[in-house]
């Protein structure tokens, strides 16, 4: 029997965990990695080291693959179209993936299909960003007065606002919260278009994760709460505690509709703001397995990684329902103690139900090097177990 070969572009931890999910099914993986030391390159048997930005490299890599998928969204859109023209199945395809690659394209499309988003527009320079801030404040057209915009630095006139480079940002990179037109100068130095968005008064951040197959089957995971620290995901709680069931259902329906309208194949994470007045707004899209879905490895009947593999191969999707009342994922960030293995003795003895997932990365301060999952019936206890394990592995907790 011949099993299909999945070509994965990108050698990070998402590729590593997606490969792991394919092993029980006998699915073969071929990896295009930046270096032989990348997280997934350490565990996948067939690794090609090369530059995903080079079309010839991509074409050579695609030979012998039954489908191409990704652990990041940075492959040039034109290259993906060239692969499709060569007859290579690319999932998600470039027409869908561009909405995760380019925030300006994403916002325009979401506007067109009536998806609620923060107020936004592309801005051309710091003064245009200040005009946008004034528009957000409802002040209409305003003018520079001796080089200073109304509200510069004092929280009025619409400031602060959020500025984002339309391509390339992740984990807080390429995103600035600016409080004046002077602070707005930094984002434009990259020489790429800049998207301005209102700074939303949100109560918390949520994520709705769905998986969709080529023939249109789709499943939705429970909506989760995502807690960020310094722009990086720290903790995910599944399901989001205290979320109104009607609002949770609305978020799942919204994610499913976005997946259908954009033609997504594979995993789609829709990052959301829950506003102080009880609405949800779409913040970002990711078309790959996502940090907000890592809890599914141990907390759902079918993980996001297993369902992504099924989707890109057009296999029937698995059950997304949770296995426990609560599951909490906590990211393990690098600290001052690189020998995390020595912490296993304490963590495993303290919590025999604890699930540790390490990525094979060198430990650097603030770098995501792994995550832990805990589950149970008492949310406070489950959260404490996850926080303790992640902190002990990092070295910030020593007892």
């Amino acid at each position: 029997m011949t099993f299909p070969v999945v070509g994965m572009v990108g050698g990070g931890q998402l590729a590593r965990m997606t490969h792991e999910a394919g092993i029980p099914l006998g699915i073969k993986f071929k990896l295009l990695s930046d270096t032989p030391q990348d997280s997934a390159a350490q565990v996948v048997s067939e690794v090609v080291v090369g530059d995903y930005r080079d079309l010839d490299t991509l074409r050579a890599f695609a030979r012998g693959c039954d489908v191409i998928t990704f652990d990041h969204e940075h492959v040039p859109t034109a290259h993906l179209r060239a692969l499709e023209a060569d007859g290579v199945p690319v999932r998600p395809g470039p027409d869908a993936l561009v909405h995760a690659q380019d925030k300006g394209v994403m916002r325009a499309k979401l506007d067109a299909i009536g998806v609620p988003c923060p107020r936004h527009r592309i801005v051309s320079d710091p003064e245009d960003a200040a005009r946008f801030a004034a528009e957000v404040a409802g002040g209409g057209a305003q003018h520079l007065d001796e080089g200073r915009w109304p509200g510069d630095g004092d929280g009025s006139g619409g400031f602060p606002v959020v500025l984002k480079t339309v391509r390339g940002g992740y984990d807080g990179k390429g995103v600035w919260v600016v409080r004046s037109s002077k602070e707005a100068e930094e984002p434009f130095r990259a020489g790429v278009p800049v998207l301005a968005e209102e700074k939303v008064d949100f109560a918390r951040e949520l994520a709705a994760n769905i998986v969709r197959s080529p023939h249109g089957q789709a499943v939705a995971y429970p909506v989760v709460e995502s807690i960020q620290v310094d722009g990086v995901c720290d903790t995910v709680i599944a399901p989001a505690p205290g979320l109104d069931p009607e609002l949770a259902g609305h978020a799942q329906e919204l994610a499913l509709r976005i997946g259908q309208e954009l033609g997504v194949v594979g995993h789609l994470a829709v990052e959301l703001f829950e506003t102080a007045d009880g609405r949800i707004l779409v913040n970002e899209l990711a078309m790959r397995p996502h940090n907000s879905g890592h809890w599914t490895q141990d907390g759902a009947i079918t993980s996001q990684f297993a369902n992504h593999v099924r989707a890109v191969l057009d296999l029937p999707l698995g059950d997304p329902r949770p296995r426990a009342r609560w599951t909490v994922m906590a990211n393990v960030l690098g600290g001052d103690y690189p020998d995390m293995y020595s912490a296993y003795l304490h963590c495993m003895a303290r919590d025999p139900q604890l699930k540790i997932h390490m990525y094979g990365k060198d430990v650097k301060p603030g770098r995501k090097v792994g995550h832990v999952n805990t589950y149970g019936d008492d949310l406070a206890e489950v959260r404490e177990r996850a926080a303790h394990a992640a902190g002990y592995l990092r070295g910030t907790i020593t007892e």
Side-chain angles (χ1 to χ4, degrees), residues 295-313:
W295 70 273
T296 63
Q297 282 178 299
D298 305 297
I301 294 172
T302 311
S303 75
Q304 64 165 348
F305 302 103
N307 262 334
H308 185 76
V309 171
R310 292 189 188 201
V312 300
L313 293 172

Side-chain angles (χ1 to χ4, degrees), residues 204 206 223 240-252 274 278 280:
R204 58 178 170 174
L206 305 173
V223 177
L243 183 61
D244 179 81
E246 185 174 342
L247 194 61
H250 174 53
Q252 290 176 309
E274 181 183 5
I280 55 172

Side-chain angles (χ1 to χ4, degrees), residues 340-358 371-374 385 388-390 392-393:
M340 290 189 174
Y341 180 72
S342 64
Y344 283 9
L345 180 65
H346 169 84
C347 290
M348 292 177 178
R350 184 179 189 270
D351 186 355
Q353 291 186 332
L354 176 71
K355 304 296 183 182
I356 300 174
H357 301 269
M358 301 302 287
H371 68 270
V372 298
N373 287 330
T374 57
R385 287 162 49 208
H388 181 94
Y392 199 93
L393 287 164

Side-chain angles (χ1 to χ4, degrees), residues 141-165:
Q142 300 191 40
H143 302 281
L144 278 169
D145 180 11
E146 297 181 355
R148 179 180 168 86
W149 279 90
D152 261 10
D154 66 6
S156 62
F159 285 110
V161 296
V162 180
L163 300 183
K164 302 177 178 179
T165 52

Side-chain angles (χ1 to χ4, degrees), residues 71-153:
D71 95 330
H72 62 70
E73 292 128 341
H74 306 314
V75 180
T77 311
H79 291 4
L80 300 181
R81 297 193 195 284
L83 290 183
E84 284 197 327
D86 292 343
V88 179
V90 177
R91 294 171 178 164
D95 291 340
L97 193 62
V98 68
H99 298 93
Q101 294 175 321
D102 189 306
K103 294 179 176 65
V105 172
M106 174 194 73
R107 287 294 183 219
K109 180 64 174 181
L110 295 183
D111 285 346
I113 63 177
V115 170
C117 297
R119 287 175 288 179
H120 60 273
R121 69 173 173 85
I122 300 293
V123 290
S124 56
D125 53 38
E127 289 72 29
D128 196 20
R131 280 190 287 272
F132 171 79
E135 293 164 11
V136 167
Q142 300 191 40
H143 302 281
L144 278 169
D145 180 11
E146 297 181 355
R148 179 180 168 86
W149 279 90
D152 261 10

Side-chain angles (χ1 to χ4, degrees), residues 148-197:
R148 179 180 168 86
W149 279 90
D152 261 10
D154 66 6
S156 62
F159 285 110
V161 296
V162 180
L163 300 183
K164 302 177 178 179
T165 52
V166 297
R167 284 181 177 256
Y170 66 96
D171 280 351
K173 299 177 178 65
V175 179
W176 295 262
V177 178
V178 300
R179 294 168 176 79
S180 69
S181 54
K182 178 66 175 176
E183 288 186 8
E185 293 175 1
E186 177 65 25
F188 293 93
R189 291 179 182 139
V192 298
V194 173
L195 176 71
E197 296 182 347

Side-chain angles (χ1 to χ4, degrees), residues 251-337:
Q252 290 176 309
E253 290 171 359
L254 190 64
L256 288 166
R257 182 160 72 87
I258 292 170
Q260 181 179 14
E261 293 276 4
L262 273 55
V264 175
V265 172
H267 185 271
L268 168 68
V270 180
E271 297 179 72
L272 302 161
F273 294 129
E274 181 183 5
T275 66
D277 59 359
R279 297 173 294 130
I280 55 172
L281 302 174
V282 172
N283 179 25
E284 302 276 4
L285 302 180
M287 294 181 195
R288 49 174 170 75
H290 191 257
N291 206 165
S292 65
H294 288 359
W295 70 273
T296 63
Q297 282 178 299
D298 305 297
I301 294 172
T302 311
S303 75
Q304 64 165 348
F305 302 103
N307 262 334
H308 185 76
V309 171
R310 292 189 188 201
V312 300
L313 293 172
D314 206 9
L315 294 169
L317 300 180
D319 192 332
R321 288 179 297 170
R323 293 179 180 271
R325 175 69 184 90
W326 300 104
T327 302
V328 173
M329 187 284 306
N331 276 318
V332 177
L333 303 182
D336 297 327
Y337 303 96

